[in-house]
Structure formats: structure tokens, C-alpha cells
Amino acid sequence: MQKSGLPFSSLNLPESVMKGIEAAGFTRCTPIQEKVFPLSLKGRDVAAQAQTGTGKTAAFLITIFSRLLEKEHKKEAGASPRAFIIAPTRELTVQIYEEAKLLGQFTDFSMLAVYGGVDYQKQREELKKGVDVLVGTPGRLIDYFKQRVFSLKNTEILVIDEADRMFDMGFIKDLRFLLKRLPPYSKRQSMLFSATLSYRVMELGYEHMNLPVKLSVSKERITAELVEQVLYHVGKEEKLSFLLGLLRHEAGERTLIFINTKVVADRLTRVLNANGYKTDTISGDIPQPKRLKILEDFKEGRLPILVATDVASRGLHIEGVSHVINYDLPQDSEDYVHRIGRTARAGASGKAISLACDEYVYSLEEIEELIGEKIPVKRPDESLFVPVIKPPPQKRRMDGPKPQRHSKSSRPGDNRKPRQNKTRQATPRRSPG
């Protein structure tokens, strides 16, 4: 619980918004919220940088609800959403939507999340009726927009969340397509949030925002202060054995293990389950309903260990993640910030453990340069290396017996006799004349 910071009660917010804040259990502003609110509540454009898990989502949602309540508005079918929030991933979209429902439960605003993988027609019909607050991923938003399910010509507030991730995931063309369909930046309020604000992100901001004020909290330290970081140098062949020892020694309530490839994720999950650790994995190719079910089990404590690729490192707000383990050191330094930001959220403490092996150690220097500090190194204790029980080999998926091939002459139900191949006799040529 936040013990310091500006009380929300001093911000003179609308009563319905304050009720939502109290229902969410928030009493005081986080450092980034303290910097954002004096500007955003007056309608100024902001580009805010802060480590993940510090209340950025609540900062722009509280601004949206407070600003929209200042004007009366009549909702029409197929009309523009009053607030338009663009997020790079399905998981982040769902998280923003859930927090919006919590904070805005005492307002009359209609809210909708649209994203790929589920409920295409249902989302389309809801959007067609008209909504006040729309949050979605670029692909699904453009799909509905081109079908003229909704418009953007009268949108009042724009939010771009995790802007740097838009570049990383190749969404920048889609993002620009949507931004060009909005009213001119002088006729709307725009807010951009990200854990890192690179030159390319700010270039996007200056192009599509109205003189945004750049805000940053602890510029010299972009990782959360309450995250205890530690680094172990281990060989590639020793990582599995060392990981099992860590899990036995640390005994975290919820442990999130990050790897770089899906193949390693699947193999690691099988090994951990074989060694008595209940584990599941999420990656980009898992169907959305299954992915949401796995995340729900992890959030509720039914699944103590989750193995994930970087698709899960951005935007997931999961309370009580005690440990983040970088089984593979990320090759993108910004991914390190987002990964370890899954722990120590909302003022809690957490531990981030990284294993630097001979394959991925080369990114360590770039990571430390970005975070502005050396990650404390510990020497691996021999007691942490434990024998690995290998899982049984995976059974091949059998989709049923292979259909027997039949020649044209022996098809089922064909009573015709097979045609015999007669040897063709060579006809002697007549001699000329």
C-alpha cells in the first residue's frame, strides 16, 4: 500500500470517480501520477515515462473519466468513441479494460475492449451500438474501422500505451493509420505512456500530439526500486539443474520464468512438471481463450509457476508475483525492464533473478547501460545444482489411422475387374519400297 504521495482526495475529482478510486483501494498517488495529473486534468498532452507497475494505467483512466464528465454527451450508434486507447497486446488490452471497469464502475460510461482471437461478431455488434471508452489492439481496431463499424472523427481523448512496444511488434504503420483518422491534435487531448521513451517514440509524439510535456520519474533509475536484482553466471548445460535448485531454495508464491524462444518454453515446462513443479506456459501461438485461462489460474494461485516468452512481459498486472527469473537473458535491453517489472508492483517488493549463460551473456552490458547500474552478481553455490529428472518423450499426435490408398482400379465399392497391362508388341516396320 502506498504510504507516501499526494492523497487522491486533494485532487478535487468528480464524486463518481473518487468512489471508483476508493473501491480500487487507492488512497495516494504514485510518483508518476503526481506528475501527470496536474497537467492531464487540465487537458494538456503528456508523454510519460516510468517503470512498469507504477500506476500509469490508473493515471490515464482517471484523467479520461474526469475529463469526460465535464461535458454532456449523447451516445449514438456507430459514433466515435469519446476516449480511444490503443495497446500493443491482447493481454494489456484486457488488463486496461478490467481496470477501467473497476475505476469507472460508478460512472455511466460504456466501455469495450476489442482484440483478436475471440468474439469477433460479438465485439463487432457491441461496438456498432456506440461506446464511450474503446480500448483495443491495432489490428482488430483497423479491421472494424475499415468496415465503418465506428468512426474516429469526434474522438476527444487519445491514449497510446506501451508506445515503444508498438515499434518492436511492427505496429507502427497501423498506429499511424489510426492516428491520421483522428481529429487534429489541437482538437483532442493525447497521452502517451511507456516504460521507455526513445527518440523514435518521441518523434511519433511530436508528430501526432499537441506540444506534449515529457514526464519521467527517476530518470537515472528506470527499474522499480523495490525489485531485488541478482545475476548468476552459469553454463548453458547447467541452467536446468541450477533452476531446479533455485526453485527449491527460493520457494516463491508466484514465479514467472522468462525465456527467449517458444521451443525452450515448451521443453522447460515439461521438465519442471516432471520434477514436481506445477507449471504451464504462454506464448504468442496459444489460442486466446486458453491463454486467458492460464493467466487466470496463475493470478488465482492455482498455478504457482508460469513460463513465458516476451509476449507476457508487457502490460500484465498480476498481484503477488514474488519472483521473476530470466532463464534466458533477454537480447533486447528494454525487455529486461519490462520483464522484471512483473514483480514489485503497486508498492510490493519482489526478486528478479537472471541467469547469464554463454549463449545470451552478450546482452548484459547493454542491459546495465540502460538501467544505469550494475546488476549484483552472486557466485552459484554448489548446493543449488540438483539432479534433473527428464520427462518421458512426447508422444506423437495421432489424428487417427492413415487412410489407405486405393488405386483407380481397386476403389472401395468398385466391382470392375482391374485392367490388365498387356505388353504391347512391337510392330515391325516395313522396309521402304
Side-chain angles (χ1 to χ4, degrees), residues 199-235:
Y199 172 79
R200 59 183 183 176
V201 172
M202 287 310 302
E203 185 179 31
L204 178 74
Y206 293 135
E207 182 181 349
H208 294 281
M209 299 173 71
N210 188 18
L211 299 175
V213 180
K214 187 176 180 180
L215 303 174
S216 178
V217 175
S218 301
K219 186 176 180 182
E220 71 282 355
R221 181 183 177 91
I222 65 171
T223 55
E225 294 182 9
L226 296 177
V227 177
E228 179 190 349
Q229 300 178 67
V230 61
L231 180 77
Y232 291 96
H233 288 277
V234 292

Side-chain angles (χ1 to χ4, degrees), residues 33-233:
Q33 290 169 354
E34 279 193 10
K35 290 196 172 186
V36 167
F37 286 140
L39 298 166
S40 65
L41 291 174
K42 293 179 180 178
R44 289 293 304 275
D45 286 10
V46 296
Q49 171 182 316
Q51 66 270 17
T52 184
T54 55
K56 289 182 292 181
T57 303
F60 64 72
L61 287 175
I62 291 171
T63 298
I64 286 173
F65 296 142
S66 300
R67 295 276 297 156
L68 295 186
L69 284 169
E70 293 175 1
K71 302 178 186 176
E72 291 187 6
H73 183 81
K74 185 179 179 181
K75 186 169 63 177
E76 298 176 0
S80 303
R82 299 186 67 191
F84 186 52
I85 306 169
I86 309 173
T89 65
R90 291 174 261 185
E91 288 77 17
L92 180 54
T93 298
V94 173
Q95 181 234 313
I96 294 171
Y97 174 65
E98 293 298 330
E99 192 158 344
K101 287 198 299 182
L102 177 61
L103 289 170
Q105 61 183 297
F106 298 100
T107 67
D108 293 328
F109 297 131
S110 57
M111 294 169 269
L112 181 66
V114 299
Y115 49 91
V118 291
D119 298 332
Y120 183 90
Q121 193 60 32
K122 184 180 177 183
Q123 290 177 3
R124 190 181 188 280
E125 292 303 318
E126 289 296 317
L127 182 55
K128 196 172 183 179
K129 295 175 185 175
V131 295
D132 293 308
V133 180
L134 175 62
V135 52
T137 52
R140 182 57 63 91
L141 288 169
I142 289 176
D143 189 0
Y144 290 145
F145 181 82
K146 287 184 174 179
Q147 296 179 44
R148 299 187 178 181
V149 178
F150 72 104
S151 167
L152 289 172
K153 62 182 180 180
N154 294 318
T155 297
E156 301 168 40
I157 301 177
L158 164 72
V159 175
I160 305 172
D161 200 13
E162 299 289 7
D164 54 347
R165 190 62 166 166
M166 298 285 187
F167 284 91
D168 297 340
M169 298 180 70
F171 285 147
I172 189 59
K173 287 185 178 179
D174 293 342
L175 185 60
R176 289 182 188 278
F177 174 89
L178 292 168
L179 296 182
K180 288 177 181 177
R181 272 70 187 174
L182 288 160
Y185 54 71
S186 58
K187 295 185 178 180
R188 57 173 160 85
Q189 181 179 8
S190 303
M191 293 178 281
L192 183 150
F193 290 80
S194 181
T196 53
L197 289 178
S198 61
Y199 172 79
R200 59 183 183 176
V201 172
M202 287 310 302
E203 185 179 31
L204 178 74
Y206 293 135
E207 182 181 349
H208 294 281
M209 299 173 71
N210 188 18
L211 299 175
V213 180
K214 187 176 180 180
L215 303 174
S216 178
V217 175
S218 301
K219 186 176 180 182
E220 71 282 355
R221 181 183 177 91
I222 65 171
T223 55
E225 294 182 9
L226 296 177
V227 177
E228 179 190 349
Q229 300 178 67
V230 61
L231 180 77
Y232 291 96
H233 288 277

